[in-house]
Amino acid sequence: MGLLDSLEGMAASAMTNSGSDQAKVAGGLMQALQEHPEGVQAILNGFQNNGMAGHVEQWASGALQTATPEQVQTGLGGTGLIEATAEKAGVSPQMAQTILATVMPMVISHFAPNGQAPEQSQFSGLAGQLLQKFL
């Protein structure tokens, strides 16, 4: 079973085992990140390139304050991740953006604890750990 299969299985489990929109968006984000050419690095680059490097640094250090939906739009706008996450989760882009404001600090804390994206081989295990928080 490949990495994509593992992530899709975890995301599908999150979406069917929990009716919460937060679980659906978290699962949708995992799928979107796996399919995005830059993966987790797209999140880091988006926030850093849009003047929000301080947010990434705080989240990476474990300061898990939430973002605002506007900050998510600023950080991820143009990456396609908000739209892809919404599509995978079966929610509107606005709903995904709102929920990502809460989820994003956890994603950065788990996937980029040092401000660096993980190796692809580590992504699956980290994704599973993150999804368990929403089940």
Side-chain angles (χ1 to χ4, degrees):
M1 179 180 278
L3 177 63
L4 179 59
D5 295 331
S6 297
L7 284 176
E8 286 179 353
M10 287 184 281
S13 176
M15 288 185 216
T16 58
N17 291 338
S18 175
S20 81
D21 287 336
Q22 193 173 35
K24 291 177 184 178
V25 169
L29 179 61
M30 296 305 98
Q31 288 180 307
L33 287 174
Q34 179 59 34
E35 294 173 4
H36 194 280
E38 294 180 49
V40 175
Q41 192 63 48
I43 294 174
L44 298 174
N45 291 344
F47 276 89
Q48 291 168 346
N49 293 339
N50 290 304
M52 301 187 69
H55 284 76
V56 171
E57 290 172 16
Q58 287 179 347
W59 298 333
S61 71
L64 297 178
Q65 64 191 32
T66 60
T68 66
E70 293 76 23
Q71 290 168 329
V72 170
Q73 176 60 42
T74 298
L76 297 181
T79 65
L81 286 171
I82 294 171
E83 296 79 8
T85 297
E87 181 181 329
K88 304 267 182 228
V91 300
S92 71
Q94 294 78 20
M95 174 70 76
Q97 185 175 319
T98 299
I99 293 171
L100 285 172
T102 302
V103 172
M104 195 56 55
M106 288 183 261
V107 169
I108 298 298
S109 176
H110 276 80
F111 293 130
N114 300 315
Q116 301 291 319
E119 297 290 325
Q120 280 297 89
S121 61
Q122 297 173 328
F123 186 73
S124 180
L126 293 170
Q129 290 173 9
L130 181 65
L131 285 175
Q132 288 302 316
K133 292 183 178 286
F134 296 100
L135 296 178

